[in-house]
Amino acid sequence: MKIDAIILRELHLPLVRPFETSLGVTHNRRILLAEIQSEGLTGWGECTAGERPFFSAESTDSAWQVTVNELGPMLASEAPEHGGDCPRIFRQVRGNRMAKATLENAIWDIEAQREGVPLSRLIGGVRDAIPCGVSLGIQASIPELMKIIEKELAAGYQRIKLKCKLGWDVEVFERVRSRWPGIMLSCDANSAYRLRDADHLVEFDAFDLLMIEQPLWHDDFYYHSMLQKRLQTPICLDESIRNRRDALASIEMESCKIINIKLGRVGGFSEAIAVHNAAQERGIPVWCGGMLESGVGRSHNIALSTLENFTLPGDVSASARYWREDIVEPEITVSSAGEIAIPDTPGRGYEVRTDLVERLTVRKETIRALELVG
Ligand code: MG
């Protein structure tokens, strides 16, 4: 496919309510969107980097810079046939996976439209609907959290995940479990603990948690494998898994029993599918994590979650939980059974509201092919 234009934008989108994790509080999202035009088709990608380099080393600004100066010109100079060609095109650039995923996922979107199939089918997805869970940030008080859980369960969500840290863990789990003994409950520490907290983490085993996500260092396998030996609760790795090799290492070392796959964290669909396949072959279930995406990134997550080994409910939930007005239509909704139905139209299946995107845009750059020297 010939790349006619790559347009990178930054949008400002206020969250309906602030989202707090052990890493800090997010009030507004600075979202980068890539719009790629090719032979009459338009593909969209979203960058999942945070405003600051806290979840990973990437940030909105670093992703902007590396996309405008490096990745965008590399892609514009090539004629990729498939989304799967992007890792080769970007191979000289190390890391910067969220920036790479922004462009690669837009190419997969175009490819699906060109083939006239839903993106979910293009990548080999097998589901017509995906099970949904919610990720609940750290709240000001336990009664406030209880009110929110009640609302999310009434809306149909199949799994409740609680962000946790020292001081917001055992007591919270106790209260939630005593009120709802049977719900699917998990927690996510975003690296809030150290190995010296192992005795404390063993107490989590009393609450029948589906998993504890990334309890220790963001880049670790070894100490997680030591901790997993002491815990009955399965460890799920998120931040540590950057690619298929990391997935294989963590499985081999028994650092985790579950893997969270995020498109941005692993660099796009090619690597996400490779991680999925590696885990599936070794009997390790996966699920799709969220990064406070707008409808564009969310639609990519929905397609990814249709792969066979996404057997656990993901953090892919309704637009209205995050945004007063999402930038796609129809907005993403979750049924009373806690599922999102998979669109059957070619591509991502959700139209981008270009008028609204234009209104929310605070900076915009058109990226051109590398100049030929000589
Ligand atoms: Mg996580």
Side-chain angles (χ1 to χ4, degrees):
M1 62 182 81
K2 180 176 173 293
I3 305 293
D4 297 316
I6 300 174
I7 301 157
L8 189 68
R9 297 163 190 272
E10 177 177 339
L11 275 60
H12 287 185
L13 214 50
L15 284 162
V16 172
R17 66 183 82 86
F19 190 79
E20 181 173 349
T21 72
S22 64
L23 304 171
V25 190
T26 307
H27 296 270
N28 298 296
R29 284 289 282 135
R30 291 173 59 197
I31 287 173
L32 301 190
L33 282 187
E35 174 187 357
I36 302 185
Q37 296 167 357
S38 167
E39 300 167 0
L41 298 173
T42 301
W44 292 86
E46 174 169 343
C47 182
T48 60
E51 288 68 31
R52 303 176 73 185
F54 293 172
F55 176 85
S56 80
E58 291 183 82
S59 67
T60 312
D61 289 314
S62 76
W64 178 277
Q65 189 265 342
V66 83
T67 304
V68 168
N69 295 341
E70 308 287 352
L71 304 173
M74 286 173 179
L75 183 62
S77 309
E78 293 263 351
E81 272 313 299
H82 308 284
D85 294 337
C86 290
R88 175 186 58 76
I89 294 168
F90 299 147
R91 69 188 179 284
Q92 278 183 293
V93 175
R94 289 188 178 171
N96 293 285
R97 294 177 189 83
M98 292 175 174
K100 288 175 179 173
T102 312
L103 298 180
E104 177 178 329
N105 295 346
I107 297 293
W108 283 88
D109 182 11
I110 296 173
E111 187 181 345
Q113 293 174 54
R114 190 190 64 194
E115 300 301 318
V117 296
L119 179 57
S120 59
R121 292 295 178 262
L122 178 71
I123 64 167
V126 295
R127 297 174 198 284
D128 296 322
I130 58 165
C132 303
V134 284
S135 172
L136 303 181
I138 293 163
Q139 306 297 318
S141 70
I142 296 180
E144 267 175 64
L145 174 70
M146 302 292 267
K147 259 188 264 167
I148 296 171
I149 295 176
E150 197 172 300
K151 192 173 129 217
E152 303 296 5
L153 290 172
Y157 286 103
Q158 299 185 19
R159 186 226 58 202
I160 301 290
K161 168 171 128 181
L162 305 175
K163 292 287 187 180
C164 64
K165 61 180 182 182
L166 279 172
W168 185 265
D169 50 26
V170 171
E171 191 191 346
V172 176
F173 305 149
E174 249 164 20
R175 295 278 294 278
V176 173
R177 259 298 174 235
S178 61
R179 170 100 180 260
W180 293 284
I183 60 169
M184 210 187 277
L185 186 66
S186 72
C187 68
D188 184 0
N190 293 110
S191 307
Y193 303 96
R194 294 294 173 258
L195 204 58
R196 63 174 175 267
D197 302 314
D199 289 341
H200 177 65
L201 292 167
V202 167
E203 292 178 41
F204 289 23
D205 284 344
F207 306 107
D208 187 26
L209 301 175
L210 183 63
M211 68 189 89
I212 172 170
E213 203 178 327
Q214 201 75 34
L216 305 177
W217 296 266
H218 70 94
D219 54 359
D220 170 75
F221 301 123
Y222 177 66
Y223 292 102
H224 279 98
S225 77
M226 290 175 71
L227 179 64
Q228 181 67 85
K229 284 185 183 57
R230 294 199 53 196
L231 297 183
Q232 285 164 20
T233 307
I235 291 177
C236 169
L237 289 179
D238 173 356
E239 284 90 329
S240 294
I241 308 293
R242 300 158 302 173
N243 50 42
R244 178 177 182 274
R245 285 181 295 102
D246 286 344
L248 292 175
S250 66
I251 294 169
E252 184 109 336
M253 293 172 73
E254 298 180 11
S255 311
C256 66
K257 296 179 178 172
I258 298 171
I259 291 176
N260 166 343
I261 302 183
K262 288 177 176 165
L263 279 163
R265 199 194 65 225
V266 303
F269 273 106
S270 303
E271 200 64 30
I273 294 167
V275 172
H276 165 274
N277 294 348
Q280 185 172 30
E281 286 158 15
R282 289 156 186 82
I284 298 291
V286 304
W287 56 281
C288 181
M291 294 290 287
L292 305 177
E293 291 95 342
S294 80
V296 171
R298 208 163 284 268
S299 62
H300 288 291
N301 291 345
I302 291 170
L304 179 68
S305 305
T306 64
L307 294 178
E308 198 175 12
N309 193 35
F310 279 80
T311 51
L312 298 171
D315 284 343
V316 188
S317 53
S319 300
R321 292 192 65 252
Y322 298 92
W323 319 111
R324 204 151 290 131
E325 208 178 9
D326 202 346
I327 58 171
V328 296
E329 60 187 359
E331 289 210 340
I332 293 155
T333 55
V334 170
S335 75
S336 56
E339 292 184 335
I340 294 175
I342 305 305
D344 55 8
T345 49
R348 290 175 305 97
Y350 299 87
E351 291 291 326
V352 173
R353 296 175 59 187
T354 47
D355 53 337
L356 181 59
V357 164
E358 199 63 54
R359 251 190 294 138
L360 295 169
T361 295
V362 297
R363 60 173 164 167
K364 181 173 166 181
E365 181 123 358
T366 300
I367 301 168
R368 307 194 185 284
L370 292 168
E371 302 263 328
L372 289 174
V373 180

